[in-house]
Amino acid sequence: WNLDQERREVVDSARLQAQTAYEKDLVYRRWLSAHGGVYVPVTDRTQPNPYLEHVPNRDVDTPAGPLTLVSPATVTRQVHEMEAETLGVRSRISSLGPVNPRNAADPWEAGALREFERGVLEVSSIQRVDGKAHMRLMRPLIAEERCLKCHADQGYRVGDVRGGISIAVPMQPLWAPAKMHMLTLSVGHGLLWLVGLAGIGLGMRKIRRQQHKRIRAEKTLRENEIRMRTIAADNARLRAEQAV
């Protein structure tokens, strides 16, 4: 029971980390959406987004050089890439009908997105990512008025589920300290079992000694009874012979 509780606590801790990461992503996405995105210098990594060609003033010239509009989705993806490199937590936005094919849902995310369309608010489970156990959690992204600047041409309306944020928290860093605690629990319970077993063994030995004493006492009592009966019979026979 203790080991099962320890496992549950590790899983709950991983789920809480994923939920916190989702809430953090949602806050800065809303900030970005409220400002219609953000303009950044054009670099090798950040090129004008071809999926924003329909957005007015996607590219602007400034005395410092050209700037291009970066959507909340692009900012989120780049932040997620940095987060994966530094923290090991993998996050991504995905959709069943993405503007950018890079945001296409994988099979697990696709299943979660279909659950969201049926009213489910969160999907989570332990899954293997690149051969390692991760807590995968996904929550929906609901279309808001400010989101329609980039997504209105897809037919979304306010309140629609237009995708989700998927978080994958590695389980190994959480399992490492938990395993030490579980080992301590196992050793403690093992020692308790051995002490209990030794107590049972000593108790059985004491009971056996008492049984042997009782058996010897009963045997002695029976022998004495037989001896007394024999003596009584001999006395009776002697009295009978003397009477004759």
Side-chain angles (χ1 to χ4, degrees), residues 55-124:
V55 177
N57 301 317
R58 182 196 66 174
D59 303 303
V60 297
D61 291 320
T62 71
L67 301 178
T68 188
L69 180 65
V70 178
S71 69
T74 301
V75 174
T76 302
R77 184 174 63 253
Q78 292 184 358
V79 171
H80 286 168
E81 291 171 356
M82 296 176 64
E83 189 177 51
E85 293 173 359
T86 57
L87 302 178
V89 176
R90 305 186 182 199
S91 306
R92 66 188 301 264
I93 55 174
S94 63
S95 172
L96 295 175
V99 173
N100 187 338
R102 293 179 63 182
N103 296 331
D106 64 25
W108 184 86
E109 293 167 338
L113 290 167
R114 294 189 185 96
E115 291 293 318
F116 298 153
E117 292 175 352
R118 289 193 283 269
V120 175
L121 299 179
E122 178 182 296
V123 174
S124 66

Side-chain angles (χ1 to χ4, degrees), residues 157-169:
R157 295 176 297 178
V158 174
D160 289 345
V161 176
R162 60 182 183 83
I165 296 180
S166 172
I167 314 290
V169 176

